[in-house]
Coordinates of all heavy atoms in Angstrom, one line a residue:
A276 N 167.6 83.1 -43.8 CA 167.2 83.1 -42.4 C 165.6 83.1 -42.3 O 165.0 82.4 -41.5 CB 167.5 84.6 -41.7
A277 N 164.9 83.8 -43.3 CA 163.5 83.7 -43.3 C 163.0 82.3 -43.6 O 162.0 81.8 -43.1 CB 163.0 84.7 -44.3
L278 N 163.7 81.6 -44.6 CA 163.3 80.3 -44.9 C 163.5 79.3 -43.7 O 162.7 78.4 -43.5 CB 164.1 79.8 -46.1 CG 163.7 80.4 -47.5 CD1 164.7 80.0 -48.6 CD2 162.3 80.1 -47.9
L279 N 164.6 79.5 -43.0 CA 164.8 78.7 -41.8 C 163.7 78.9 -40.8 O 163.2 77.9 -40.2 CB 166.2 79.1 -41.1 CG 167.4 78.6 -41.9 CD1 168.7 79.1 -41.2 CD2 167.5 77.0 -42.0
L280 N 163.2 80.0 -40.6 CA 162.0 80.3 -39.7 C 160.8 79.6 -40.3 O 160.0 79.0 -39.6 CB 161.8 81.8 -39.6 CG 162.7 82.6 -38.7 CD1 162.4 84.1 -38.8 CD2 162.7 82.1 -37.3
A281 N 160.6 79.6 -41.6 CA 159.4 79.1 -42.3 C 159.4 77.5 -42.2 O 158.3 77.0 -42.0 CB 159.4 79.5 -43.8
V282 N 160.6 76.9 -42.2 CA 160.5 75.4 -42.1 C 161.0 74.9 -40.7 O 161.3 73.8 -40.5 CB 161.5 74.8 -43.2 CG1 161.1 75.3 -44.6 CG2 163.0 75.2 -42.9
M283 N 161.1 75.9 -39.7 CA 161.6 75.5 -38.4 C 160.6 74.5 -37.8 O 159.3 74.6 -37.8 CB 161.6 76.7 -37.6 CG 162.0 76.5 -36.1 SD 162.1 78.1 -35.3 CE 160.4 78.7 -35.6
S284 N 161.2 73.4 -37.1 CA 160.4 72.4 -36.5 C 160.1 72.9 -35.0 O 160.9 73.7 -34.4 CB 161.1 71.1 -36.5 OG 162.3 71.2 -35.7
R285 N 159.1 72.3 -34.4 CA 158.8 72.6 -33.0 C 159.9 72.2 -32.0 O 160.2 72.9 -31.1 CB 157.5 72.0 -32.6 CG 157.0 72.5 -31.2 CD 155.7 71.8 -30.9 NE 154.7 72.2 -31.8 CZ 154.0 73.3 -31.7 NH1 154.2 74.1 -30.6 NH2 153.0 73.6 -32.5
K286 N 160.6 71.1 -32.4 CA 161.7 70.6 -31.6 C 162.9 71.6 -31.6 O 163.4 72.0 -30.5 CB 162.2 69.3 -32.2 CG 163.3 68.7 -31.3 CD 163.8 67.4 -32.0 CE 165.0 66.8 -31.2 NZ 165.4 65.5 -31.7
N287 N 163.2 72.1 -32.8 CA 164.3 73.0 -32.7 C 163.9 74.4 -32.1 O 164.8 75.0 -31.5 CB 164.8 73.4 -34.3 CG 165.4 72.2 -34.9 OD1 166.1 71.5 -34.2 ND2 165.2 71.9 -36.3
F288 N 162.6 74.8 -32.3 CA 162.2 76.0 -31.6 C 162.3 75.9 -30.1 O 162.8 76.8 -29.3 CB 160.8 76.3 -32.1 CG 160.2 77.5 -31.3 CD1 160.6 78.8 -31.7 CD2 159.3 77.4 -30.3 CE1 160.2 80.0 -31.0 CE2 158.9 78.6 -29.6 CZ 159.2 79.8 -30.0
S289 N 161.9 74.7 -29.6 CA 161.9 74.5 -28.1 C 163.3 74.5 -27.6 O 163.6 74.9 -26.4 CB 161.2 73.2 -27.8 OG 159.9 73.1 -28.2
R290 N 164.3 74.2 -28.3 CA 165.6 74.0 -27.9 C 166.2 75.4 -27.7 O 167.0 75.6 -26.8 CB 166.5 73.3 -29.0 CG 168.0 73.1 -28.7 CD 168.7 72.4 -29.7 NE 168.0 71.2 -30.1 CZ 168.3 70.4 -31.1 NH1 169.3 70.8 -32.0 NH2 167.7 69.3 -31.4
Y291 N 165.8 76.5 -28.5 CA 166.4 77.8 -28.4 C 165.5 78.9 -27.8 O 165.9 80.0 -27.8 CB 166.8 78.2 -29.8 CG 167.9 77.4 -30.4 CD1 167.6 76.5 -31.5 CD2 169.2 77.4 -30.0 CE1 168.5 75.7 -32.1 CE2 170.2 76.5 -30.6 CZ 169.8 75.7 -31.6 OH 170.8 74.9 -32.1
K292 N 164.3 78.5 -27.4 CA 163.3 79.5 -27.0 C 163.7 80.2 -25.8 O 163.3 81.4 -25.6 CB 161.9 78.8 -26.9 CG 161.8 77.9 -25.8 CD 160.4 77.4 -25.6 CE 160.3 76.4 -24.6 NZ 159.1 76.6 -23.7
E293 N 164.4 79.6 -24.9 CA 164.7 80.2 -23.5 C 166.0 81.0 -23.7 O 166.1 82.1 -23.2 CB 164.8 79.1 -22.5 CG 163.5 78.4 -22.1 CD 162.4 79.3 -21.7 OE1 162.8 80.4 -21.1 OE2 161.2 79.0 -21.9
D294 N 167.1 80.5 -24.3 CA 168.4 81.1 -24.2 C 168.8 81.5 -25.6 O 169.9 82.1 -25.7 CB 169.4 80.2 -23.6 CG 169.1 79.7 -22.2 OD1 168.6 80.6 -21.4 OD2 169.2 78.6 -21.8
G295 N 168.1 81.2 -26.6 CA 168.6 81.5 -28.0 C 168.1 82.8 -28.5 O 167.7 83.8 -27.8
I296 N 167.9 82.9 -29.8 CA 167.6 84.1 -30.5 C 166.2 84.5 -30.3 O 165.7 85.6 -30.5 CB 167.9 84.1 -31.9 CG1 167.1 82.9 -32.6 CG2 169.4 83.9 -32.3 CD1 167.3 82.8 -34.1
F297 N 165.3 83.5 -29.8 CA 163.9 83.8 -29.7 C 163.6 84.2 -28.3 O 162.3 84.6 -28.0 CB 163.1 82.5 -30.0 CG 163.4 81.9 -31.3 CD1 164.1 80.8 -31.4 CD2 163.0 82.5 -32.6 CE1 164.4 80.2 -32.7 CE2 163.3 82.0 -33.8 CZ 164.1 80.8 -33.8
S298 N 164.5 84.2 -27.3 CA 164.1 84.4 -25.9 C 163.4 85.7 -25.6 O 162.4 85.7 -25.0 CB 165.4 84.3 -25.1 OG 166.4 85.1 -25.5
G299 N 163.9 86.8 -26.2 CA 163.4 88.1 -25.9 C 161.8 88.2 -26.3 O 160.9 88.7 -25.6
A300 N 161.7 87.7 -27.6 CA 160.3 87.7 -28.1 C 159.3 86.8 -27.3 O 158.2 87.1 -27.1 CB 160.2 87.3 -29.6
V301 N 159.9 85.6 -26.9 CA 159.0 84.7 -26.2 C 158.6 85.2 -24.8 O 157.5 85.0 -24.4 CB 159.8 83.4 -26.0 CG1 159.1 82.4 -25.0 CG2 159.9 82.7 -27.3
V302 N 159.5 85.9 -24.2 CA 159.2 86.6 -22.9 C 158.1 87.6 -23.1 O 157.2 87.6 -22.3 CB 160.5 87.2 -22.3 CG1 160.1 88.0 -21.1 CG2 161.5 86.1 -21.8
R303 N 158.2 88.4 -24.1 CA 157.1 89.4 -24.4 C 155.8 88.8 -24.7 O 154.8 89.2 -24.2 CB 157.6 90.3 -25.5 CG 156.6 91.4 -25.8 CD 157.0 92.4 -26.8 NE 156.1 93.3 -27.2 CZ 155.6 94.3 -26.4 NH1 156.1 94.6 -25.3 NH2 154.7 95.2 -26.9
I304 N 155.8 87.7 -25.4 CA 154.6 87.0 -25.8 C 154.0 86.4 -24.5 O 152.7 86.5 -24.2 CB 154.8 86.0 -26.9 CG1 155.2 86.6 -28.2 CG2 153.6 85.1 -27.0 CD1 155.7 85.7 -29.3
R305 N 154.8 85.8 -23.7 CA 154.3 85.2 -22.4 C 153.6 86.3 -21.5 O 152.6 86.0 -20.9 CB 155.4 84.5 -21.7 CG 155.0 83.8 -20.4 CD 156.1 83.3 -19.6 NE 156.8 82.2 -20.3 CZ 158.1 82.2 -20.7 NH1 158.8 83.3 -20.5 NH2 158.6 81.2 -21.3
R306 N 154.3 87.4 -21.5 CA 153.7 88.5 -20.7 C 152.4 88.9 -21.3 O 151.4 89.2 -20.4 CB 154.7 89.6 -20.6 CG 154.4 90.8 -19.6 CD 155.3 92.0 -19.6 NE 156.6 91.5 -19.4 CZ 157.7 91.6 -20.2 NH1 157.4 92.1 -21.4 NH2 158.8 91.2 -19.9
L307 N 152.3 89.1 -22.5 CA 151.0 89.5 -23.2 C 149.9 88.5 -22.9 O 148.8 88.7 -22.6 CB 151.2 89.8 -24.6 CG 152.1 91.0 -24.8 CD1 152.4 91.1 -26.4 CD2 151.4 92.4 -24.4
L308 N 150.3 87.2 -23.1 CA 149.3 86.2 -22.9 C 148.8 86.0 -21.5 O 147.5 85.9 -21.3 CB 149.8 84.8 -23.4 CG 150.0 84.6 -24.9 CD1 150.8 83.4 -25.2 CD2 148.6 84.5 -25.5

């Protein structure tokens, strides 16, 4: 899992950032920014 994060492409990240495993963290980062 850590290696998948390390080699993750921007395209794959964009695909899952709203509804996937990253959504909660992305919302918090957006609020802080």
Side-chain angles (χ1 to χ4, degrees):
L278 289 175
L279 286 176
L280 285 177
V282 301
M283 177 179 56
S284 66
R285 190 180 295 276
K286 178 180 179 181
N287 289 330
F288 176 77
S289 300
R290 184 182 304 170
Y291 298 106
K292 66 179 178 133
E293 294 297 338
D294 301 321
I296 58 176
F297 309 108
S298 58
V301 171
V302 170
R303 178 170 175 77
I304 292 172
R305 183 187 292 115
R306 188 182 303 116
L307 292 173
L308 285 172

